[in-house]
Amino acid sequence: MLMSVMAVAVGTLFGACGSPQPSPVRAEDFLGEWCSAQRDQLNLDVLGEFRSSDLSHEFLAVLQDDDEYTEESVLKRDYGGEFPASGRGTWTWSGPLASPRLRLEFVALGLSRKPISGELMARRDGQGEPSLFGYEDDPDAGYAVKFVRCG
């Protein structure tokens, strides 16, 4: 009996020490400037405001409810005929600790008369660094855009 208690204790000790769990991400981890591989830029400030620039089709697809935004008629109707290159608005942090989300509420997006909103998933990437992931539809299909710290 004593041997099995010691085996469990030693196994637990080595299991806990062998692979430390990364700390959960917090809203403060995401203040500052973020960039994507598609060259999108997103700047989040402490007052809950953001600015975005160099918007890509991939990032706009994450924000849109449908994939029709690239069609000329939708660009004319919603964006004055031009693909939106920048935007600004407010951001909020929500969701459970294990699965937080960054919600973006645009007040201006290019020439749009009805700015949109969207969410990015906040996670640590494979290297343990805070990252923001945007998914178009099914997260199992992989992310459409990933933001990491610029620089």
Side-chain angles (χ1 to χ4, degrees):
M1 175 77 164
L2 181 57
M3 289 298 267
S4 42
V5 169
M6 288 196 46
V8 169
V10 168
T12 303
L13 178 63
F14 281 112
C17 293
S19 58
Q21 295 296 316
S23 61
V25 291
R26 303 165 305 157
E28 300 83 43
D29 295 332
F30 295 93
L31 297 177
E33 203 167 331
W34 296 85
C35 296
S36 76
Q38 294 86 357
R39 300 190 181 182
D40 302 284
Q41 292 186 342
L42 183 63
N43 192 308
L44 306 170
D45 74 20
V46 71
L47 300 175
E49 296 180 355
F50 75 87
R51 291 194 176 281
S52 60
S53 60
D54 300 323
L55 298 180
S56 67
H57 281 76
E58 291 84 358
F59 185 37
L60 194 58
V62 167
L63 299 172
Q64 290 288 124
D65 287 336
D66 57 45
D67 292 335
E68 296 178 350
Y69 72 91
T70 55
E71 292 182 18
E72 192 173 324
S73 61
V74 174
L75 285 175
K76 272 186 184 173
R77 182 190 71 208
D78 294 345
Y79 300 102
E82 294 182 21
F83 186 86
S86 63
R88 63 182 173 79
T90 58
W91 67 272
T92 54
W93 188 253
S94 65
L97 188 61
S99 183
R101 289 170 168 68
L102 183 78
R103 179 126 184 106
L104 301 172
E105 296 284 342
F106 283 84
V107 295
L109 180 59
L111 300 174
S112 177
R113 290 181 213 98
K114 52 180 192 173
I116 57 179
S117 61
E119 287 186 340
L120 297 170
M121 307 283 279
R123 302 275 186 279
R124 292 195 183 280
D125 66 12
Q127 289 76 40
E129 296 298 318
S131 301
L132 295 166
F133 297 89
Y135 298 89
E136 275 188 66
D137 294 314
D138 180 12
D140 291 333
Y143 61 85
V145 65
K146 174 185 175 184
F147 286 90
V148 296
R149 284 225 178 265
C150 297

